[in-house]
């Protein structure tokens, strides 16, 4: 059996503020609030990048794409994801699957999930079947429930080519 697998997990959180753009899982979502961030604030992609980097012990997204760099101001996080996947491929690994959980109170995410899966799969060069996105509210509890922030968790499995 080929056991050359690597597993990784990632987490990200961003504050929400009125009048900003909300981009989650590579998809622009109409809403009154968006993420406060140096980049486009896509927590789903940031958690996913950290999971990919973590699987190969390559550090974290802040190390590779520092939020102090002008290069990354307002950047489309799909670009960061593509660059992260290039690092994974350079080391001889491919993504088996990625599974993400998004926590936000509003708006409802279900109508956007398939579009997000397609966007992330395209950025990573994999099939959408390898990409899972689940969303849940904060049940009105905590900062997610008060619509003050959004969180994302990601788990990935990589296999040596
Ligand atoms: Mg982030």
């Amino acid at each position: 059996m080929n056991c050359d697998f690597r597993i990784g997990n990632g987490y990200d959180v961003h504050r929400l503020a009125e009048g900003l753009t909300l981009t989650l899982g590579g998809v622009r979502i109409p809403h009154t609030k968006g993420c406060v961030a140096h980049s486009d604030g896509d927590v789903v992609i940031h958690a996913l990048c950290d999971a990919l980097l973590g699987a190969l012990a390559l550090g974290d997204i802040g190390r590779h794409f520092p939020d102090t760099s002008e290069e990354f101001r307002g950047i489309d996080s799909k670009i960061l994801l593509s660059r992260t996947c290039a690092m994974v491929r350079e080391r001889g690994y491919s993504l088996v699957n990625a599974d993400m959980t998004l926590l936000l109170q509003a708006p409802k995410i279900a109508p956007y999930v398939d579009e997000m899966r397609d966007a992330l799969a395209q950025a990573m060069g994999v099939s959408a079947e390898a990409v899972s996105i689940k969303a849940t509210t904060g049940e009105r509890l905590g900062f997610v429930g008060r619509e003050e922030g959004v969180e994302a968790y990601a788990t990935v499995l990589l296999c040596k080519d």
Side-chain angles (χ1 to χ4, degrees):
M1 189 173 89
N2 180 358
C3 289
D4 205 350
F5 293 114
R6 304 282 297 213
I7 194 167
N9 78 85
Y11 168 80
D12 195 28
V13 57
H14 279 271
R15 271 191 300 127
L16 288 168
E18 293 286 348
L20 299 178
T21 301
L22 184 63
T23 304
L24 296 170
V27 176
R28 175 97 177 255
I29 295 172
H31 192 46
T32 55
K33 293 180 177 180
C35 288
V36 178
H38 182 72
S39 67
D40 66 2
D42 193 325
V43 285
V44 177
I45 291 184
H46 297 173
L48 179 54
C49 286
D50 262 1
L52 291 162
L53 293 168
L56 295 180
L58 295 175
D60 60 29
I61 190 170
R63 177 169 132 197
H64 294 278
F65 312 111
D67 65 8
T68 50
S69 167
E70 279 306 308
E71 182 188 354
F72 305 119
R73 183 179 294 281
I75 195 168
D76 180 342
S77 291
K78 290 194 292 296
I79 295 168
L80 308 183
L81 179 57
S82 291
R83 289 199 204 170
T84 301
C85 284
M87 285 184 239
V88 168
R89 277 193 299 275
E90 276 167 22
R91 284 158 180 84
Y93 282 85
S94 297
L95 179 71
V96 177
N97 71 304
D99 183 27
M100 283 149 283
T101 301
L102 174 60
L103 289 92
L104 86 168
Q105 190 63 43
K108 288 250 176 289
I109 289 305
Y112 305 100
V113 162
D114 284 340
E115 200 180 336
M116 290 180 187
R117 292 174 62 213
D118 286 341
L120 299 184
Q122 192 178 348
M124 292 192 286
V126 300
S127 160
E129 288 169 18
V131 182
S132 161
I133 296 179
K134 311 176 303 295
T136 182
T137 71
E139 292 285 348
R140 298 262 161 226
L141 295 167
F143 69 84
V144 171
R146 292 191 297 270
E147 300 185 41
E148 293 169 0
V150 49
E151 291 182 287
Y153 295 86
T155 302
V156 302
L157 184 67
L158 305 182
C159 183
K160 189 103 177 175
D161 294 332

